[in-house]
Amino acid sequence: MAQQGVDNPQLRTVGPTDLQALSASAQFVASKNSQVNVAADIASLKEVGRGEMEWWWFTLYRARLLTVDGEYNQGTYPMVLEIEYYQDIPSERLLEATVDQWQHLQLDQSRQLQWQASLSELWPDVNEGDTLSLQVLSPDSSQFYFNGKPLEELMPEGFSEDFLAIWLSSQTSRPELRKQLLGEIACEC
């Protein structure tokens, strides 16, 4: 029979450092499982509408809005805004266009700077066929996915409403695209 305690190399006392490592490992596994469950839940969402963003004679992307029941009600979650790109666009240009839209919406300057700092670290360059999605679970919980894979960082509280306003606000610079996303007019895209 093996001795218990220090003399047995397979048994040892668990210290505070070990507990911290076990806790971090358990949180990582829970986070990964949560992402899998969220992805499964997102797959069950229904399309509200879709539309294409055109600039001059180029179609830049197709956007889709998805919710639980296929209806948009501001403040009801989860929801996803998915953008499939038809053109190669560097991340700096995506960020510049986003800030331009926030300025159009007259978003508070300090929030623009906060969101801009978060996005500049997060967004990749996009190529034709790439998809960038914002999955919003609540006003306080949202995350970007690039080609179906989560980007590292969760977005700060309040970000999702300011980001979605670019497309869904009644003050958007693209009212036709808004109507398409809300399912008010159809898009053959």
Side-chain angles (χ1 to χ4, degrees), residues 130-177:
D130 283 341
T131 302
L132 187 63
S133 303
L134 179 67
Q135 296 183 2
V136 184
L137 301 177
S138 74
D140 304 335
S141 178
S142 62
Q143 184 171 21
F144 280 101
Y145 284 67
F146 183 64
N147 294 328
K149 296 180 181 165
L151 296 179
E152 291 296 317
E153 180 179 323
L154 293 177
M155 300 312 295
E157 182 179 337
F159 170 83
S160 59
E161 290 191 19
D162 289 342
F163 187 73
L164 292 172
I166 293 170
W167 292 270
L168 302 178
S169 166
S170 60
Q171 303 303 313
T172 182
S173 67
R174 301 292 178 168
E176 185 172 333
L177 179 55

Side-chain angles (χ1 to χ4, degrees), residues 47-147:
E47 185 175 289
V48 176
R50 66 176 61 205
E52 289 181 328
M53 166 60 175
E54 296 177 356
W55 186 72
W56 293 76
W57 56 86
F58 293 105
T59 304
L60 297 177
Y61 61 77
R62 182 195 68 203
R64 293 187 329 140
L65 181 64
L66 303 124
T67 64
V68 172
D69 60 3
E71 300 289 326
Y72 174 71
N73 294 302
Q74 186 173 2
T76 302
Y77 305 99
M79 80 172 63
V80 172
L81 178 71
E82 175 188 88
I83 301 172
E84 180 184 351
Y85 290 90
Y86 295 156
Q87 306 288 326
D88 296 351
I89 306 173
S91 61
E92 297 84 26
R93 181 63 192 119
L94 289 176
L95 186 57
E96 201 176 283
T98 301
V99 170
D100 287 347
Q101 292 304 307
W102 282 329
Q103 289 172 351
H104 170 82
L105 294 170
Q106 299 179 353
L107 182 66
D108 178 79
Q109 182 72 24
S110 64
R111 292 203 333 243
Q112 285 183 47
L113 292 172
Q114 180 185 1
W115 305 153
Q116 185 176 1
S118 294
L119 293 175
S120 68
E121 299 288 320
L122 187 66
W123 276 353
D125 296 337
V126 296
N127 295 305
E128 181 180 350
D130 283 341
T131 302
L132 187 63
S133 303
L134 179 67
Q135 296 183 2
V136 184
L137 301 177
S138 74
D140 304 335
S141 178
S142 62
Q143 184 171 21
F144 280 101
Y145 284 67
F146 183 64
N147 294 328

